[in-house]
């Protein structure tokens, strides 16, 4: 279905002239992914033990199908950002005629600002590239051969490189995409080197072959021609390439620059979907190869990366003043928790791994949705701060600095509270969903005796609360420096009429002066109570943010379904 859809969109893109068909193509891709979800749900009940396809290159199981569904679902939510207009311009019947006839220049300037904010709706190749990336992610999750692994990860990565630079008018986006491409190519070299060493030492590229070799490698008779540490070192080099891809420390140095440079809508996709497929592939690889060696195990490298990610992600975030760089370091810290659960490879840790990965993906999605929504909601507010007005690429990434959120609670209290709830979930404050995820990972680590790593994880979680609380301080404990742009225009329009009008009575002068006085009084307290042209958020954004926030907040009442799903998947994995 996805392959057929890619071909159809390629043909449609080649024959179309109108650039505004991007919204239609986004909606078509949403329908495609919805059908794919429906198809996978049906197959879950028909394929129980798993089935190999194409001579064993692809292996379909219940776990792979569940995470296919999850990736398709996350992608549908991200595509909704570019399938509907994010904000609506509400003009009442009393002011419409006046705006058009008497002040049409101001009215059309406002429409021009709105159109600049909607540039992301005019890129017709965006949904097509998304489908290429999703295809690579789906193949990577289901792969059963090293050659297929390399092809799938490159199909996913090339799409991400193009997606990062798809905003051709953005210098920052181009720089970020080039950094991503160069360092992504370096990580692919590590993956290819690992594949070469694995093939040279074992004579096979089929992953099932490694599972068989590792399970019989403790037999003394084969030690004459085979050494177990060959595959271990090869797998360690192989895993370095994937640690590069997910931005885990000490291979994290590209992610803060790339996250900050590329547009926020693209960052949403790169920060979430690109990591899910790699983690699920590593889950199966770790499970089948980590329990057969005593002297040396390649998963020790994952533990070291987990430790460094926890420390670097926490310390690096303390000095950040750009919000997407801060969330990049936050992602590195959370990757440390995920790698800790992945490295332990027990029933409890695997359940914690799946739960942490799912909840963090959803929470991260909510954070970026709220950031994008805040950027759109500030379209018709004016700030005299020169630093904000001179930001590069401010239309593609409206919110770049933490200080831009100053006093946002007074502009939109509900959105500010949703943002705060999600941040508290990242910190791990009970009873939010993030607390239960961290508790499951730390409990599994304690059961296996990783006391030092648990101590480091707890300390870094407490320290990371510092830069999270700094965001909340900016939102709630300061007054906003934004002024409604329509009030400013109305104020100067009244002054113009007062100075230029030759004939007017005392009552009119009194009304004009009182309006000017009210405007000054309101803005001296920065208390915005009226908008001459109201701005409404799209229903799609409001519904998604509301549902995810309520899920994070009320997880304690709906935890059975999530935990039971994770338990079932773990039992399927360990029984196979």
């Amino acid at each position: 279905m996805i392959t057929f859809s890619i071909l159809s969109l390629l043909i449609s893109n080649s024959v179309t002239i109108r650039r505004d068909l991007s919204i239609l193509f986004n909606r078509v891709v949403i329908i495609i992914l919805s059908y794919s979800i429906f198809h996978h749900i049906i197959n879950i009940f028909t394929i129980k033990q798993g089935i190999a396809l194409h001579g064993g290159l692809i292996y379909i199981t219940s776990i792979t199908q569940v995470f296919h569904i999850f990736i398709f679902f996350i992608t549908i939510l991200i595509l909704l950002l570019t399938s509907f207009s994010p904000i609506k311009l509400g003009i009442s019947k009393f002011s419409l005629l006046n705006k058009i006839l008497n002040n049409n220049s101001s009215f059309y300037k406002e429409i021009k600002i709105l159109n600049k904010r909607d540039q992301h709706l005019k890129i017709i190749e965006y949904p097509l590239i998304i489908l290429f990336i999703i295809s690579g992610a789906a193949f990577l999750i289901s792969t059963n051969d090293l050659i297929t692994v390399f092809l799938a990860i490159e199909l996913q990565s090339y799409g991400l490189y193009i997606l990062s630079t798809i905003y051709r008018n953005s210098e920052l986006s181009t720089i970020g995409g080039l950094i991503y491409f160069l360092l992504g190519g370096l990580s692919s070299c590590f993956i290819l080197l690992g594949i070469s060493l694995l093939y040279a030492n074992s004579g096979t590229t089929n992953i099932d072959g490694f599972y068989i070799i590792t399970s019989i490698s403790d037999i003394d008779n084969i030690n004459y021609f085979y050494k177990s540490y060959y595959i271990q070192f090869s797998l360690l080099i192989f895993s370095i390439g994937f640690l590069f891809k997910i931005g885990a420390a000490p291979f994290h140095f590209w992610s803060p620059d790339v996250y900050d440079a590329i547009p926020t809508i693209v960052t949403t996709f790169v920060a979430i979907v690109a990591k899910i497929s790699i983690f699920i592939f590593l889950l199966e690889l770790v499970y089948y190869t980590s329990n057969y060696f005593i002297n040396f195990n390649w998963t020790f490298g994952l533990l070291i990366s987990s430790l460094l990610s926890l420390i670097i992600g926490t310390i690096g975030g303390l000095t950040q003043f750009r919000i997407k760089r801060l969330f990049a370091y936050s992602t590195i810290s959370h990757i440390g928790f995920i790698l800790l659960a992945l490295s332990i490879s027990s029933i409890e840790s695997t359940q914690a791994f799946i739960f942490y990965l799912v909840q963090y993906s959803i929470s991260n999605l909510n954070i970026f949705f709220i950031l994008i929504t805040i950027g759109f909601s500030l379209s018709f507010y004016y700030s005299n701060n020169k630093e904000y007005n001179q930001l590069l690429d401010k239309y593609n990434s409206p919110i770049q600095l933490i200080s831009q959120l100053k006093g946002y609670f007074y502009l939109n209290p509900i959105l500010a509270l949703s943002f705060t709830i999600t941040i508290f979930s990242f910190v791990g404050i009970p009873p939010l969903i993030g607390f239960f995820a961290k508790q499951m990972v730390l409990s599994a680590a304690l059961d296996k005796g990783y006391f030092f790593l648990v101590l480091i994880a707890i300390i870094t979680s407490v320290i990371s609360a510092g830069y999270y609380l700094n965001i909340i301080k900016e939102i709630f404990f300061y007054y906003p420096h934004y002024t409604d742009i329509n009030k400013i225009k109305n104020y100067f329009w009244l002054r113009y009429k007062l100075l230029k009008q030759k004939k007017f009575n005392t009552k009119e002068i009194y009304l004009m002066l009182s309006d000017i006085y009210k405007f000054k009084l309101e803005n001296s307290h920065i208390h915005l109570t009226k908008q001459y042209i109201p701005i409404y958020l799209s229903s799609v954004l409001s519904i998604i943010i509301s549902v995810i926030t309520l899920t994070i907040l009320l997880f304690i009442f709906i935890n059975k379904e999530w935990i039971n799903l994770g338990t079932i998947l773990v039992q399927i994995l360990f029984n196979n």
Side-chain angles (χ1 to χ4, degrees):
M1 183 65 186
I2 293 179
T3 305
F4 176 76
S5 304
I6 289 175
L7 294 175
S8 301
L9 287 178
L10 277 171
I11 295 172
S12 302
N13 191 15
S14 63
V15 299
T16 186
I17 298 176
R18 296 176 57 188
R19 304 295 295 178
D20 57 354
L21 288 176
S22 175
I23 295 178
L24 176 61
F25 282 6
N26 278 280
R27 295 176 182 178
V28 169
V29 172
I30 289 175
I31 295 173
I32 292 166
L33 295 177
S34 300
Y35 172 79
S36 300
I37 290 175
F38 176 72
H39 183 269
H40 277 72
I41 291 174
I42 295 176
N43 286 342
I44 286 177
F45 298 101
T46 57
I47 301 175
K48 297 182 179 180
Q49 296 298 324
I51 183 172
L53 303 175
H54 305 294
L57 296 178
I58 302 294
Y59 189 64
I60 305 296
T61 63
S62 298
I63 293 179
T64 62
Q65 291 192 37
V66 166
F67 279 96
H68 284 173
I69 293 172
F70 183 64
I71 286 180
F72 295 157
F73 175 71
I74 292 292
T75 306
I76 287 174
L77 295 181
I78 295 174
L79 283 171
L80 289 174
L81 288 169
T82 51
S83 300
F84 300 91
S85 181
I87 51 178
K88 299 176 182 178
L89 185 65
I91 303 175
S92 67
K93 61 182 179 180
F94 301 105
S95 62
L96 177 59
L97 187 61
N98 177 57
K99 282 287 180 183
I100 294 177
L101 296 180
N102 298 332
N103 199 15
N104 57 353
S105 61
S106 174
F107 175 75
Y108 286 114
K109 285 180 181 177
E110 291 156 359
I111 297 297
K112 187 176 181 181
I113 293 174
L114 187 67
N115 288 333
K116 285 185 178 180
R117 295 290 187 183
D118 286 350
Q119 289 296 321
H120 65 283
L121 300 175
K122 301 176 183 179
I123 301 177
I124 202 169
E125 299 86 3
Y126 180 78
L128 180 63
I129 297 171
I130 292 289
L131 280 182
F132 275 107
I133 299 171
I134 293 302
S135 301
F139 284 131
L140 182 60
I141 290 176
S142 305
T143 187
N144 199 42
D145 192 275
L146 293 178
I147 304 301
T148 316
V149 169
F150 185 74
L151 293 176
I153 192 65
E154 289 308 295
L155 178 60
Q156 173 180 301
S157 299
Y158 286 157
L160 291 171
Y161 305 151
I162 298 172
L163 191 66
S164 299
T165 57
I166 197 170
Y167 287 76
R168 302 180 186 89
N169 60 342
S170 171
E171 181 180 352
L172 288 178
S173 176
T174 305
I175 294 172
L178 285 175
I179 294 173
Y180 195 14
F181 169 69
L182 293 174
L183 296 178
L186 177 62
S187 64
S188 298
C189 293
F190 279 99
I191 295 175
L192 196 58
L193 177 60
I195 292 174
S196 303
L197 293 175
L198 287 170
Y199 177 71
N201 294 325
S202 63
T204 180
T205 59
N206 193 278
I207 296 179
D208 284 338
F210 298 112
Y211 301 158
I212 295 172
I213 290 173
T214 53
S215 63
I216 65 173
S217 61
D218 55 345
I219 300 176
D220 294 334
N221 293 334
I222 69 169
N223 286 337
Y224 295 105
F225 62 90
Y226 171 78
K227 300 294 183 182
S228 62
Y229 59 83
Y230 289 168
I231 284 187
Q232 292 297 302
F233 280 115
S234 301
L235 286 173
L236 181 61
I237 295 174
F238 185 65
S239 65
I240 288 175
F242 287 102
L243 293 176
F244 254 109
K245 297 287 187 184
I246 60 177
F251 314 107
H252 65 284
F253 40 83
W254 61 269
S255 70
D257 295 331
V258 173
Y259 279 33
D260 189 45
I262 61 180
T264 307
I265 290 179
V266 178
T267 310
T268 306
F269 192 86
V270 172
I272 300 172
V273 179
K275 294 177 172 57
I276 297 174
S277 57
I278 296 176
F279 274 124
I280 299 306
F281 169 72
L282 289 177
L283 171 64
E284 298 184 353
L285 189 65
V286 168
Y287 171 69
Y288 286 111
T289 61
S290 63
N291 297 324
Y292 304 106
F293 302 95
I294 299 176
N295 296 327
F296 172 74
N297 197 305
W298 71 277
T299 56
F300 292 162
L302 299 182
L303 283 173
I304 294 173
S305 179
S306 171
L307 175 63
L308 293 176
S309 297
L310 289 169
I311 296 173
I312 294 175
T314 300
I315 296 176
L318 292 173
T319 59
Q320 300 304 316
F321 61 92
R322 299 184 66 88
I323 191 160
K324 286 198 291 182
R325 290 183 66 91
L326 184 144
F327 282 124
Y329 281 102
S330 170
T331 299
I332 294 168
S333 178
H334 287 281
I335 285 174
F337 277 93
I338 297 174
L339 289 176
L340 177 59
L342 177 66
S343 306
I344 298 171
S345 191
S346 63
I347 294 178
E348 294 80 8
S349 67
T350 306
Q351 184 177 354
F353 167 83
I354 293 175
F355 179 71
Y356 201 108
L357 180 62
V358 171
Q359 71 84 23
Y360 181 69
S361 299
I362 294 175
S363 300
N364 214 17
L365 179 68
N366 199 40
I367 279 289
F368 282 107
F369 258 82
I370 294 174
L371 271 184
I372 292 169
T373 305
I374 290 174
F376 286 129
S377 68
L378 294 178
S379 299
F380 284 79
Y381 288 96
Y382 172 76
S383 174
N384 57 4
N385 190 310
K386 294 182 179 180
E387 184 181 9
Y388 301 162
N389 297 328
Q390 294 175 358
L391 288 174
L392 297 177
D393 205 18
K394 62 181 180 180
Y395 289 114
N396 293 328
S397 298
I399 305 299
Q400 299 181 28
L401 306 176
I402 297 175
S403 58
Q404 287 181 269
L405 300 174
K406 185 175 293 184
Y408 189 75
F409 174 76
Y410 298 96
L411 303 181
N412 193 328
I414 297 177
L415 201 58
L417 288 173
S418 299
F419 194 68
T420 303
I421 290 171
T422 310
I423 287 178
F424 279 153
S425 179
F426 282 166
V427 176
I429 295 178
L432 303 178
I433 191 172
F435 165 77
F436 295 99
K438 290 187 176 182
Q439 185 267 337
M440 290 175 68
V441 173
L442 297 178
S443 176
L446 284 174
D447 290 341
K448 286 292 185 178
Y450 294 101
F451 301 107
F452 178 72
L453 280 173
V454 171
L455 180 62
I456 294 297
I458 294 173
I459 292 174
T460 53
S461 293
V462 174
I463 295 175
S464 65
Y467 57 73
Y468 287 127
L469 293 176
N470 182 45
I471 301 176
I472 296 173
K473 182 187 72 173
E474 293 284 341
I475 294 175
F476 287 91
F477 292 94
Y478 295 99
Y479 285 109
H481 45 67
Y482 292 100
T483 304
D484 189 348
I485 195 171
N486 300 297
K487 286 190 172 185
I488 294 175
K489 292 177 180 178
N490 187 67
Y491 167 62
F492 285 107
W493 179 249
L494 288 173
R495 287 189 61 186
Y496 175 79
K497 288 175 65 178
L498 184 62
L499 295 174
K500 296 295 182 181
Q501 190 172 355
K502 295 181 180 179
K503 294 181 180 180
F504 45 81
N505 54 39
T506 308
K507 183 179 180 180
E508 290 176 336
I509 296 176
Y510 174 77
L511 291 175
M512 291 178 187
L513 291 175
S514 63
D515 285 339
I516 294 174
Y517 174 77
K518 288 179 181 178
F519 171 78
K520 289 183 176 180
L521 184 64
E522 288 176 354
N523 286 275
S524 64
H525 292 81
I526 318 295
H527 183 62
L528 305 178
T529 58
K530 179 182 177 183
Q531 287 185 334
Y532 292 92
I533 298 183
I535 307 301
Y536 302 104
L537 293 177
S538 171
S539 301
V540 174
L541 290 175
S542 302
I543 291 172
I544 293 175
I545 293 173
S546 301
V547 171
I548 297 178
T549 304
L550 289 175
T551 302
I552 295 171
L553 182 63
L554 304 177
F555 172 77
I556 193 172
F557 301 108
I558 57 173
N559 55 3
K560 290 184 178 180
E561 291 77 9
W562 288 52
I563 295 176
N564 289 340
L565 176 61
T567 303
I568 292 171
L569 292 177
V570 171
Q571 292 296 332
I572 292 173
L573 176 64
F574 278 80
N575 288 336
N576 289 336

